[in-house]
Amino acid sequence: MYYETTCRFPVGTITLASDGTALAGLWLENQKYFGGTLNGGMAQKDDLPIFEKTVNWLERYFSGQNPAIGELPLAPAGKPFRQEVWKLLCDIPYGETTTYGEIAQKMAVKLNKPGMSAQAGGGAVRPNPILIIIPCHRGGGSNGSPTGFSGGIEKKKGRLGDEGGEMGKKKLPGKGNAT
């Protein structure tokens, strides 16, 4: 069983989901994949401590601060490959970006494979169930285009703009980045 609450922010209505302890979902109104990774129903429960912590995190984020992702216990549901990709997304610094191809390269190294397609990287990023906090908006196409955000491209551009970033500005940290 999961619990949910809603709150309003500059991007519109946000729905939060939790297993009672950790954050399991953060979705924008009318976004693709809304609740898609959760198995089981959601019951309304507004007073969970994790929801209070998440709202505080989001208030700081939307006021231009850079709260640490590690402040929140996260429990996104997904297959192991996606889980690993979502962890990589959390390593992309505030205001910086990477490409789906670079994410795929990092995963190939992690899995000890000779290579992996950009589509594999992007395909794992897209169903991210915790938008904004797991910063999938910081990933995009190889030509620097802000593609593939399930909350909508304009909201992706808005997140990057508010962070002082733009697609193509900087890359995922660490060795093995494409140039």
Side-chain angles (χ1 to χ4, degrees), residues 101-160:
E102 290 168 328
I103 291 169
Q105 267 189 317
K106 290 278 188 187
M107 286 303 297
V109 168
K110 193 171 201 145
L111 298 171
N112 201 27
K113 293 186 175 211
M116 189 174 291
S117 73
Q119 290 82 5
V125 169
R126 277 189 275 288
N128 169 18
I130 304 179
L131 290 190
I132 301 170
I133 296 170
I134 297 177
C136 57
H137 59 278
R138 296 179 189 156
S142 62
N143 63 356
S145 62
T147 61
F149 188 60
S150 63
I153 295 300
E154 289 309 310
K155 288 184 179 168
K156 180 175 190 163
K157 288 178 183 177
R159 294 300 86 244
L160 290 171

Side-chain angles (χ1 to χ4, degrees), residues 52-64:
E52 184 177 320
K53 286 178 78 168
T54 303
V55 167
N56 176 273
W57 192 100
L58 290 166
E59 286 170 345
R60 289 183 290 135
Y61 175 83
F62 285 113
S63 71

